[in-house]
Amino acid sequence: MDIRNIAIIAHVDHGKTTLVDRILHTTKVFRENQDTGELIMDSNDLERERGITIFSKNAAVEYKGVKINVIDTPGHADFGGEVERVLKMADGVILLVDAFEGPMPQTRFVLQKALQLNLKPIVVINKVDKPNCRPDEVHDAVFELFFNLDATEEQLDFPTYYGSGKNGWFNDSLTQSEDIMPLMDGILKHVPPPVVSEGSLQLQITSLDYSSFLGRIAIGKVSRGTIKEGQPISLMQTDGVKKSRVRELYVFEGMGKKKVQEVVAGDLCAVVGLEDFNIGDTIADFENPEALPVISVDEPTMNMQFSINNSPFFGKDGKFVTSRHLRDRLIKETEKNLALKVVDTDSADSFMVYGRGILHLGILIETMRREGHELTIGQPQVITKEIDGKKCEPYETLVVDVPQEYASKVIDLVTRRKGEMLVMETKGEMQHLEFDIPSRGLLGLRTSMLTNTAGEAVMNHRFSEYKPWKGPIPGRNNGVLIAKEAGSTTAYSIDKLQDRGFFFVDPGEEVYRGMIIGENNKPGDLVVNPNEGKKLTNMRASGSDGTVSLPPKRLMTLEECMEYIQQDECIEVTPNYIRMRKVILDEEERKRQQKRMSAEAV
């Protein structure tokens, strides 16, 4: 059967998953009366809540007698590890670009990976129905991007399609067509069939799946030869060769998998029955095994300390609370999350976890807490390196689109955090700004930027390179309000403390000594007692005993907490609560520690 393998790549929110929906509906994967909803491929709860793709997924459709394997990839820079490895399964890519925003930082990142793998690109300019869109300018910008990324003559001669995934049409010109058939025909015409070399079996494992019934499942593309059910094979790993046997074989069909007897070179398949395999391993011939080059993934740029929950509320909320639970879960995550690294520390209760960024680590923590884990996480730190005898740190390219009246505030915020402006241009009513900024400077920047631009700023960033250390970057300006003792907060106390700052807790919430309950209006931390009740007498005065009117507490998401905390603070994460606290809960002990550190510094 004729086969095409195509990956869909784009910046976050440019419409990849919506395009996959259209392909699935056009090729009649579902019954006419079947209610599928939207964003069919984003099946994970976290993906649906956040409206982003986190895990790459496969679907297979049949169009005009040709099987098309479609791979939906994440658009966020933090999940670049997912994109890099699944591109190995594709022979062509659809580069999706928003007709207003044009190529964004992540577009550049994934396109560069695709061009290096010599994949055939098709450019799709989406959302041409949006007001003030500029498809022609965007087409020129995409061509310029290809040129800057050293695309070959053949790659520069890319076909372009215009349309709207939401309205269900794509055409090779700006005139509206009936449906997405012109694009489907373009895939058959421009994407080459898989290139198959002669020789014995080779299949590189590029993705993992798990079934409680079948166990771990290896997914990859058969590069050459044929793989059959029951066939003995060699599993080529970095540290040696294991002999094994294929128990069951599946190919992708629609949204699911279909059991088959054999799979020929060029098709994607799922293999059941292998023990202890890793991503990047090669399934090869039993007699004459030959390995494929190991998949390389960009290194992590940030680390965080994960430890067991050691707060006074330990064990009240979660199922998994011991260091053994924490260790097993983190090791399990590294099997399928290539960009993640876990290292033991001096303490048996703590682990250092290395990842691509705040979102990458935040998704892991959010997933763990939903599974019932309790843990404490420290402040995110960037990973420094020594290059040519100099201390170097990771830098990122930061792109901000903001209404013109707020542009000066954005420039001021970024330059204070050691950012340098590279580009400033006008896009319609928006100002387009590009900066080079140390990764440290991005911690906490999103919150202050949204506050200063009335929520109008759209900010994106991606790792660029390591450069010399830029020196200290100012962190949070204000101190925090810390609970003096354990107990239940009262409206009376919080009302009396209103002029000290704003609160992260409501009346009636349980707090403990050393827990962060609000932000101080001034620099420096302040220990307060939020649990004091009103002294009652039997005398009443009309008007003075009215109900207390309090503003609602400020809700902080997990990522906002990660950006907010300082060196001596940490976050307690449980299935139902996210609490910020001091690492040392006792106030006297904290003061002694500060004195010791000051003495050492002198």
Side-chain angles (χ1 to χ4, degrees):
M1 189 178 181
D2 209 358
I3 298 170
R4 302 285 187 276
N5 299 317
I6 191 148
I8 300 181
I9 57 174
H11 186 79
V12 65
D13 236 10
H14 280 197
K16 288 182 302 304
T17 309
T18 308
L19 171 60
V20 176
D21 285 4
R22 291 283 166 238
I23 292 174
L24 292 170
H25 284 298
T26 303
T27 52
K28 302 280 189 293
V29 166
F30 306 106
R31 298 189 313 274
E32 292 290 333
N33 62 347
Q34 191 171 345
D35 179 25
T36 56
E38 291 187 329
L39 307 179
I40 303 158
M41 294 286 267
D42 284 354
S43 50
N44 181 285
D45 287 347
L46 268 176
E47 294 181 312
R48 287 195 165 275
E49 280 171 32
R50 293 168 183 247
I52 58 172
T53 302
I54 298 168
F55 309 105
S56 62
K57 295 170 215 67
N58 299 48
V61 298
E62 198 173 314
Y63 179 71
K64 294 188 176 173
V66 178
K67 180 181 180 182
I68 303 173
N69 285 310
V70 181
I71 306 161
D72 184 17
T73 63
H76 221 286
D78 282 20
F79 307 113
E82 286 275 317
V83 183
E84 285 173 53
R85 62 165 203 250
V86 296
L87 285 178
K88 291 258 186 180
M89 296 198 278
D91 299 296
V93 290
I94 291 180
L95 176 70
L96 203 65
V97 187
D98 186 300
F100 170 68
E101 291 185 347
M104 297 291 277
Q106 183 61 11
T107 318
R108 183 188 184 94
F109 171 77
V110 285
L111 179 63
Q112 187 168 16
K113 300 287 176 196
L115 293 177
Q116 283 167 359
L117 290 168
N118 209 18
L119 303 180
K120 176 70 181 166
I122 295 176
V123 174
V124 175
I125 295 176
N126 191 18
K127 305 188 185 182
V128 296
D129 55 326
K130 277 173 78 172
N132 66 25
C133 67
R134 35 191 204 102
D136 293 335
E137 284 177 50
V138 167
H139 179 269
D140 295 344
V142 172
F143 184 85
E144 201 172 309
L145 177 63
F146 269 78
F147 186 76
N148 291 340
L149 293 176
D150 298 327
T152 61
E153 288 285 327
E154 197 183 344
Q155 286 169 332
L156 280 170
D157 187 23
F158 54 83
T160 308
Y161 291 83
Y162 302 87
S164 161
K166 189 178 169 189
N167 296 331
W169 68 273
F170 284 101
N171 203 352
D172 52 5
S173 65
L174 276 166
T175 51
Q176 187 166 341
S177 61
E178 298 277 310
D179 45 36
I180 69 162
M181 295 298 186
L183 176 60
M184 298 299 288
D185 293 333
I187 292 173
L188 300 191
K189 181 180 171 189
H190 299 292
V191 176
V195 179
V196 179
S197 49
E198 292 294 315
S200 59
L201 167 66
Q202 270 189 333
L203 180 154
Q204 187 158 42
I205 301 169
T206 47
S207 195
L208 289 182
D209 202 353
Y210 183 80
S211 149
S212 51
F213 178 60
L214 298 167
R216 290 172 76 218
I217 302 168
I219 296 172
K221 175 179 159 190
V222 185
S223 308
R224 68 181 199 199
T226 307
I227 186 166
K228 297 177 183 172
E229 192 175 67
Q231 176 181 350
I233 52 107
S234 299
L235 185 64
M236 311 283 291
Q237 298 185 303
T238 45
D239 55 357
V241 181
K242 273 186 194 157
K243 301 299 181 185
S244 190
R245 186 178 290 274
V246 177
R247 201 165 78 225
E248 290 180 10
L249 264 185
Y250 294 84
V251 291
F252 295 95
E253 185 174 78
M255 293 294 296
K257 300 184 184 81
K258 181 177 80 170
K259 194 169 184 233
V260 290
Q261 295 299 311
E262 70 169 23
V263 181
V264 295
D267 205 353
L268 310 185
C269 72
V271 183
V272 176
L274 306 182
E275 296 289 322
D276 300 328
F277 61 84
N278 296 307
I279 286 174
D281 292 353
T282 306
I283 297 174
D285 186 61
F286 188 78
E287 299 290 335
N288 306 310
E290 289 176 50
L292 287 161
V294 178
I295 300 171
S296 63
V297 172
D298 284 1
E299 288 182 22
T301 56
M302 196 164 276
N303 65 12
M304 286 177 85
Q305 189 163 333
F306 281 48
S307 359
I308 60 167
N309 182 10
N310 55 6
S311 84
F313 292 169
F314 157 82
K316 283 188 175 182
D317 200 23
K319 288 187 292 185
F320 308 113
V321 293
T322 65
S323 57
R324 184 178 60 82
H325 286 137
L326 179 61
R327 182 194 176 84
D328 290 352
R329 179 63 183 83
L330 289 173
I331 297 301
K332 186 179 161 197
E333 185 67 26
T334 55
E335 288 178 355
K336 63 175 188 291
N337 198 334
L338 278 195
L340 200 79
K341 207 166 86 183
V342 177
V343 177
D344 290 333
T345 62
D346 301 339
S347 160
D349 296 337
S350 298
F351 305 93
M352 200 54 94
V353 179
Y354 295 78
R356 275 280 180 86
I358 290 274
L359 188 65
H360 184 210
L361 293 165
I363 292 288
L364 168 62
I365 297 161
E366 185 66 46
T367 309
M368 286 173 69
R369 101 178 237 236
R370 289 180 184 210
E371 291 169 1
H373 287 266
E374 281 194 17
L375 61 153
T376 304
I377 49 174
Q379 186 192 25
Q381 305 281 346
V382 298
I383 300 167
T384 57
K385 285 183 180 177
E386 191 155 309
I387 302 172
D388 300 333
K390 285 184 182 173
K391 184 182 179 184
C392 292
E393 63 176 329
Y395 274 67
E396 311 222 2
T397 304
L398 170 69
V399 177
V400 184
D401 287 307
V402 67
Q404 289 185 358
E405 64 264 32
Y406 298 119
S408 58
K409 284 186 179 175
V410 171
I411 295 166
D412 179 47
L413 272 175
V414 178
T415 45
R416 261 195 252 159
R417 289 164 175 265
K418 302 279 198 280
E420 289 178 21
M421 190 160 73
L422 307 173
V423 176
M424 182 175 184
E425 57 191 30
T426 308
K427 271 190 189 176
E429 298 161 11
M430 305 287 271
Q431 200 75 27
H432 176 80
L433 308 166
E434 285 186 28
F435 302 92
D436 193 33
I437 183 171
S439 297
R440 288 179 299 142
L442 292 170
L443 296 178
L445 179 63
R446 186 180 296 275
T447 315
S448 53
M449 190 174 286
L450 290 174
T451 309
N452 281 287
T453 60
E456 294 273 356
V458 178
M459 150 179 175
N460 294 288
H461 53 88
R462 77 176 179 89
F463 170 73
S464 57
E465 60 181 322
Y466 271 84
K467 287 189 194 170
W469 181 264
K470 258 284 177 81
I473 290 177
R476 192 177 68 205
N477 293 328
N478 296 6
V480 288
L481 302 176
I482 304 163
K484 187 176 185 179
E485 57 194 45
S488 187
T489 57
T490 63
Y492 172 77
S493 267
I494 292 178
D495 183 45
K496 291 285 178 268
L497 293 166
Q498 284 295 328
D499 57 341
R500 296 294 191 185
F502 56 80
F503 283 82
F504 304 141
V505 291
D506 274 336
E509 279 191 40
E510 291 292 323
V511 297
Y512 52 80
R513 184 172 62 166
M515 180 172 150
I516 296 171
I517 56 169
E519 183 176 297
N520 194 356
N521 283 334
K522 298 174 182 173
D525 299 341
L526 188 65
V527 178
V528 296
N529 184 4
N531 311 338
E532 204 174 330
K534 185 174 183 184
K535 300 289 179 282
L536 298 178
T537 68
N538 57 3
M539 300 293 286
R540 290 283 175 268
S542 74
S544 63
D545 283 341
T547 53
V548 175
S549 169
L550 293 175
K553 69 175 179 182
R554 179 180 287 191
L555 283 167
M556 300 272 276
T557 64
L558 178 62
E559 273 95 21
E560 282 170 348
C561 289
M562 286 160 72
E563 292 184 338
Y564 185 81
I565 59 171
Q566 299 294 304
Q567 186 91 40
D568 63 335
E569 297 162 0
C570 57
I571 307 168
E572 175 192 354
V573 180
T574 73
N576 294 310
Y577 298 99
I578 295 172
R579 303 182 182 100
M580 290 183 285
R581 48 164 279 207
K582 288 290 181 182
V583 173
I584 300 168
L585 297 175
D586 185 270
E587 186 188 354
E588 296 303 319
E589 183 57 38
R590 274 202 305 276
K591 286 178 179 170
R592 280 198 290 273
Q593 177 77 2
Q594 270 177 338
K595 276 182 187 169
R596 272 199 299 271
M597 287 173 71
S598 305
E600 283 170 17
V602 171

PDB file of all heavy atoms in Angstrom, residues 19 40 71 74 90 170 181 183 207 249 318 326 332-333 347 384 400 427 431 507 518 547 575 601:
ATOM      1  N   LEU A  19      -6.411  21.524  12.559  1.00  0.00           N
ATOM      2  CA  LEU A  19      -6.177  20.996  11.206  1.00  0.00           C
ATOM      3  C   LEU A  19      -6.271  19.464  11.206  1.00  0.00           C
ATOM      4  O   LEU A  19      -6.869  18.872  10.302  1.00  0.00           O
ATOM      5  CB  LEU A  19      -4.795  21.448  10.707  1.00  0.00           C
ATOM      6  CG  LEU A  19      -4.313  20.813   9.392  1.00  0.00           C
ATOM      7  CD1 LEU A  19      -5.272  21.131   8.246  1.00  0.00           C
ATOM      8  CD2 LEU A  19      -2.911  21.278   9.029  1.00  0.00           C
ATOM      9  N   ILE A  40      -9.722  16.716  18.864  1.00  0.00           N
ATOM     10  CA  ILE A  40      -9.870  15.285  19.132  1.00  0.00           C
ATOM     11  C   ILE A  40      -8.558  14.689  19.637  1.00  0.00           C
ATOM     12  O   ILE A  40      -8.546  13.853  20.537  1.00  0.00           O
ATOM     13  CB  ILE A  40     -10.310  14.557  17.834  1.00  0.00           C
ATOM     14  CG1 ILE A  40     -11.606  15.179  17.318  1.00  0.00           C
ATOM     15  CG2 ILE A  40     -10.496  13.072  18.053  1.00  0.00           C
ATOM     16  CD1 ILE A  40     -11.855  14.958  15.849  1.00  0.00           C
ATOM     17  N   ILE A  71       1.193  12.934  12.267  1.00  0.00           N
ATOM     18  CA  ILE A  71       1.769  13.071  13.610  1.00  0.00           C
ATOM     19  C   ILE A  71       1.519  14.500  14.087  1.00  0.00           C
ATOM     20  O   ILE A  71       2.003  15.460  13.475  1.00  0.00           O
ATOM     21  CB  ILE A  71       3.287  12.773  13.592  1.00  0.00           C
ATOM     22  CG1 ILE A  71       3.556  11.398  12.958  1.00  0.00           C
ATOM     23  CG2 ILE A  71       3.868  12.832  14.986  1.00  0.00           C
ATOM     24  CD1 ILE A  71       4.975  11.212  12.479  1.00  0.00           C
ATOM     25  N   PRO A  74       3.716  18.891  19.735  1.00  0.00           N
ATOM     26  CA  PRO A  74       3.509  20.052  20.611  1.00  0.00           C
ATOM     27  C   PRO A  74       4.077  21.317  19.974  1.00  0.00           C
ATOM     28  O   PRO A  74       5.035  21.242  19.204  1.00  0.00           O
ATOM     29  CB  PRO A  74       4.301  19.698  21.873  1.00  0.00           C
ATOM     30  CG  PRO A  74       4.646  18.264  21.756  1.00  0.00           C
ATOM     31  CD  PRO A  74       4.647  17.927  20.312  1.00  0.00           C
ATOM     32  N   ALA A  90       8.809  10.989  10.285  1.00  0.00           N
ATOM     33  CA  ALA A  90       8.126  11.634   9.149  1.00  0.00           C
ATOM     34  C   ALA A  90       9.029  11.712   7.915  1.00  0.00           C
ATOM     35  O   ALA A  90      10.248  11.625   8.004  1.00  0.00           O
ATOM     36  CB  ALA A  90       7.686  13.028   9.562  1.00  0.00           C
ATOM     37  N   PHE A 170      -9.042  24.807   2.792  1.00  0.00           N
ATOM     38  CA  PHE A 170      -7.661  25.171   2.437  1.00  0.00           C
ATOM     39  C   PHE A 170      -7.525  25.084   0.927  1.00  0.00           C
ATOM     40  O   PHE A 170      -8.042  24.153   0.304  1.00  0.00           O
ATOM     41  CB  PHE A 170      -6.653  24.223   3.101  1.00  0.00           C
ATOM     42  CG  PHE A 170      -6.453  24.498   4.556  1.00  0.00           C
ATOM     43  CD1 PHE A 170      -7.070  23.709   5.512  1.00  0.00           C
ATOM     44  CD2 PHE A 170      -5.677  25.568   4.977  1.00  0.00           C
ATOM     45  CE1 PHE A 170      -6.905  23.962   6.862  1.00  0.00           C
ATOM     46  CE2 PHE A 170      -5.501  25.827   6.339  1.00  0.00           C
ATOM     47  CZ  PHE A 170      -6.127  25.027   7.276  1.00  0.00           C
ATOM     48  N   MET A 181      -9.821  19.445   0.518  1.00  0.00           N
ATOM     49  CA  MET A 181      -9.319  18.503  -0.508  1.00  0.00           C
ATOM     50  C   MET A 181      -8.061  19.016  -1.232  1.00  0.00           C
ATOM     51  O   MET A 181      -7.140  18.226  -1.492  1.00  0.00           O
ATOM     52  CB  MET A 181     -10.405  18.177  -1.537  1.00  0.00           C
ATOM     53  CG  MET A 181     -11.594  17.430  -0.961  1.00  0.00           C
ATOM     54  SD  MET A 181     -11.149  15.827  -0.284  1.00  0.00           S
ATOM     55  CE  MET A 181     -12.747  15.168   0.139  1.00  0.00           C
ATOM     56  N   LEU A 183      -5.594  20.666  -0.117  1.00  0.00           N
ATOM     57  CA  LEU A 183      -4.438  20.400   0.742  1.00  0.00           C
ATOM     58  C   LEU A 183      -4.133  18.900   0.790  1.00  0.00           C
ATOM     59  O   LEU A 183      -2.968  18.487   0.742  1.00  0.00           O
ATOM     60  CB  LEU A 183      -4.705  20.935   2.159  1.00  0.00           C
ATOM     61  CG  LEU A 183      -3.627  20.649   3.207  1.00  0.00           C
ATOM     62  CD1 LEU A 183      -2.286  21.247   2.803  1.00  0.00           C
ATOM     63  CD2 LEU A 183      -4.025  21.166   4.584  1.00  0.00           C
ATOM     64  N   SER A 207       9.033   6.582  20.131  1.00  0.00           N
ATOM     65  CA  SER A 207       7.949   6.985  21.021  1.00  0.00           C
ATOM     66  C   SER A 207       7.511   5.783  21.849  1.00  0.00           C
ATOM     67  O   SER A 207       7.788   4.643  21.498  1.00  0.00           O
ATOM     68  CB  SER A 207       6.787   7.514  20.174  1.00  0.00           C
ATOM     69  OG  SER A 207       5.891   8.205  20.966  1.00  0.00           O
ATOM     70  N   LEU A 249       1.976  -7.138  16.920  1.00  0.00           N
ATOM     71  CA  LEU A 249       2.292  -5.988  16.069  1.00  0.00           C
ATOM     72  C   LEU A 249       1.016  -5.209  15.772  1.00  0.00           C
ATOM     73  O   LEU A 249      -0.031  -5.813  15.499  1.00  0.00           O
ATOM     74  CB  LEU A 249       2.856  -6.481  14.737  1.00  0.00           C
ATOM     75  CG  LEU A 249       4.367  -6.542  14.548  1.00  0.00           C
ATOM     76  CD1 LEU A 249       4.644  -6.951  13.111  1.00  0.00           C
ATOM     77  CD2 LEU A 249       5.033  -5.207  14.834  1.00  0.00           C
ATOM     78  N   GLY A 318      -2.528  13.379  50.231  1.00  0.00           N
ATOM     79  CA  GLY A 318      -2.139  12.526  49.103  1.00  0.00           C
ATOM     80  C   GLY A 318      -2.017  11.060  49.475  1.00  0.00           C
ATOM     81  O   GLY A 318      -2.024  10.677  50.644  1.00  0.00           O
ATOM     82  N   LEU A 326       8.300   8.879  45.370  1.00  0.00           N
ATOM     83  CA  LEU A 326       8.763  10.023  44.573  1.00  0.00           C
ATOM     84  C   LEU A 326       9.841   9.582  43.586  1.00  0.00           C
ATOM     85  O   LEU A 326       9.785   9.912  42.400  1.00  0.00           O
ATOM     86  CB  LEU A 326       9.290  11.109  45.519  1.00  0.00           C
ATOM     87  CG  LEU A 326       9.833  12.385  44.890  1.00  0.00           C
ATOM     88  CD1 LEU A 326       8.753  13.097  44.097  1.00  0.00           C
ATOM     89  CD2 LEU A 326      10.381  13.322  45.955  1.00  0.00           C
ATOM     90  N   LYS A 332      10.348   6.733  36.336  1.00  0.00           N
ATOM     91  CA  LYS A 332       9.387   6.293  35.310  1.00  0.00           C
ATOM     92  C   LYS A 332       9.183   7.390  34.258  1.00  0.00           C
ATOM     93  O   LYS A 332       9.077   7.118  33.065  1.00  0.00           O
ATOM     94  CB  LYS A 332       8.050   5.968  35.996  1.00  0.00           C
ATOM     95  CG  LYS A 332       6.997   5.363  35.090  1.00  0.00           C
ATOM     96  CD  LYS A 332       5.729   5.074  35.875  1.00  0.00           C
ATOM     97  CE  LYS A 332       4.544   4.912  34.945  1.00  0.00           C
ATOM     98  NZ  LYS A 332       3.272   5.032  35.655  1.00  0.00           N
ATOM     99  N   GLU A 333       9.172   8.657  34.716  1.00  0.00           N
ATOM    100  CA  GLU A 333       8.970   9.779  33.793  1.00  0.00           C
ATOM    101  C   GLU A 333      10.130   9.913  32.820  1.00  0.00           C
ATOM    102  O   GLU A 333       9.935  10.237  31.647  1.00  0.00           O
ATOM    103  CB  GLU A 333       8.798  11.073  34.604  1.00  0.00           C
ATOM    104  CG  GLU A 333       8.456  12.298  33.793  1.00  0.00           C
ATOM    105  CD  GLU A 333       7.082  12.256  33.147  1.00  0.00           C
ATOM    106  OE1 GLU A 333       6.182  11.565  33.663  1.00  0.00           O
ATOM    107  OE2 GLU A 333       6.907  12.933  32.112  1.00  0.00           O
ATOM    108  N   SER A 347      20.874  14.065  50.129  1.00  0.00           N
ATOM    109  CA  SER A 347      19.776  13.605  50.984  1.00  0.00           C
ATOM    110  C   SER A 347      18.974  12.513  50.270  1.00  0.00           C
ATOM    111  O   SER A 347      18.714  12.608  49.065  1.00  0.00           O
ATOM    112  CB  SER A 347      18.864  14.787  51.321  1.00  0.00           C
ATOM    113  OG  SER A 347      17.606  14.328  51.731  1.00  0.00           O
ATOM    114  N   THR A 384      24.286  26.518  34.829  1.00  0.00           N
ATOM    115  CA  THR A 384      25.427  27.267  34.279  1.00  0.00           C
ATOM    116  C   THR A 384      26.499  26.284  33.797  1.00  0.00           C
ATOM    117  O   THR A 384      26.556  25.144  34.237  1.00  0.00           O
ATOM    118  CB  THR A 384      26.033  28.201  35.344  1.00  0.00           C
ATOM    119  OG1 THR A 384      26.408  27.412  36.469  1.00  0.00           O
ATOM    120  CG2 THR A 384      25.043  29.258  35.771  1.00  0.00           C
ATOM    121  N   VAL A 400       7.877  39.700  22.073  1.00  0.00           N
ATOM    122  CA  VAL A 400       6.679  40.262  22.719  1.00  0.00           C
ATOM    123  C   VAL A 400       5.899  41.062  21.684  1.00  0.00           C
ATOM    124  O   VAL A 400       6.457  41.921  21.000  1.00  0.00           O
ATOM    125  CB  VAL A 400       7.062  41.176  23.909  1.00  0.00           C
ATOM    126  CG1 VAL A 400       5.810  41.657  24.622  1.00  0.00           C
ATOM    127  CG2 VAL A 400       7.983  40.470  24.871  1.00  0.00           C
ATOM    128  N   LYS A 427       3.461  45.861  13.621  1.00  0.00           N
ATOM    129  CA  LYS A 427       2.632  44.869  12.907  1.00  0.00           C
ATOM    130  C   LYS A 427       1.194  45.286  13.116  1.00  0.00           C
ATOM    131  O   LYS A 427       0.621  45.027  14.182  1.00  0.00           O
ATOM    132  CB  LYS A 427       2.836  43.486  13.532  1.00  0.00           C
ATOM    133  CG  LYS A 427       3.949  42.660  12.966  1.00  0.00           C
ATOM    134  CD  LYS A 427       3.830  41.240  13.535  1.00  0.00           C
ATOM    135  CE  LYS A 427       5.044  40.409  13.175  1.00  0.00           C
ATOM    136  NZ  LYS A 427       4.990  39.082  13.775  1.00  0.00           N
ATOM    137  N   GLN A 431       2.938  46.431  18.411  1.00  0.00           N
ATOM    138  CA  GLN A 431       4.378  46.641  18.334  1.00  0.00           C
ATOM    139  C   GLN A 431       5.052  45.279  18.541  1.00  0.00           C
ATOM    140  O   GLN A 431       4.731  44.581  19.503  1.00  0.00           O
ATOM    141  CB  GLN A 431       4.792  47.603  19.442  1.00  0.00           C
ATOM    142  CG  GLN A 431       6.121  48.269  19.216  1.00  0.00           C
ATOM    143  CD  GLN A 431       6.064  49.356  18.171  1.00  0.00           C
ATOM    144  OE1 GLN A 431       5.024  49.953  17.971  1.00  0.00           O
ATOM    145  NE2 GLN A 431       7.155  49.608  17.478  1.00  0.00           N
ATOM    146  N   PRO A 507     -10.501  33.690  54.794  1.00  0.00           N
ATOM    147  CA  PRO A 507     -10.841  33.340  56.176  1.00  0.00           C
ATOM    148  C   PRO A 507     -11.288  31.880  56.273  1.00  0.00           C
ATOM    149  O   PRO A 507     -11.930  31.351  55.360  1.00  0.00           O
ATOM    150  CB  PRO A 507     -12.013  34.280  56.497  1.00  0.00           C
ATOM    151  CG  PRO A 507     -11.871  35.406  55.547  1.00  0.00           C
ATOM    152  CD  PRO A 507     -11.260  34.847  54.315  1.00  0.00           C
ATOM    153  N   GLY A 518       0.681  35.828  52.198  1.00  0.00           N
ATOM    154  CA  GLY A 518       0.382  37.036  51.423  1.00  0.00           C
ATOM    155  C   GLY A 518       1.659  37.735  51.010  1.00  0.00           C
ATOM    156  O   GLY A 518       2.774  37.289  51.311  1.00  0.00           O
ATOM    157  N   THR A 547     -20.611  43.280  59.344  1.00  0.00           N
ATOM    158  CA  THR A 547     -19.802  42.201  58.777  1.00  0.00           C
ATOM    159  C   THR A 547     -18.552  42.783  58.116  1.00  0.00           C
ATOM    160  O   THR A 547     -18.589  43.883  57.570  1.00  0.00           O
ATOM    161  CB  THR A 547     -20.604  41.419  57.716  1.00  0.00           C
ATOM    162  OG1 THR A 547     -21.112  42.359  56.786  1.00  0.00           O
ATOM    163  CG2 THR A 547     -21.729  40.636  58.344  1.00  0.00           C
ATOM    164  N   PRO A 575      -2.475  16.919  46.171  1.00  0.00           N
ATOM    165  CA  PRO A 575      -3.556  16.809  45.177  1.00  0.00           C
ATOM    166  C   PRO A 575      -4.568  17.960  45.217  1.00  0.00           C
ATOM    167  O   PRO A 575      -5.116  18.333  44.191  1.00  0.00           O
ATOM    168  CB  PRO A 575      -4.222  15.473  45.539  1.00  0.00           C
ATOM    169  CG  PRO A 575      -3.110  14.657  46.108  1.00  0.00           C
ATOM    170  CD  PRO A 575      -2.254  15.628  46.861  1.00  0.00           C
ATOM    171  N   ALA A 601      29.501  35.411  54.222  1.00  0.00           N
ATOM    172  CA  ALA A 601      29.700  36.303  53.073  1.00  0.00           C
ATOM    173  C   ALA A 601      30.794  37.314  53.354  1.00  0.00           C
ATOM    174  O   ALA A 601      31.592  37.679  52.491  1.00  0.00           O
ATOM    175  CB  ALA A 601      28.389  37.012  52.746  1.00  0.00           C
TER     176      ALA A 601
END
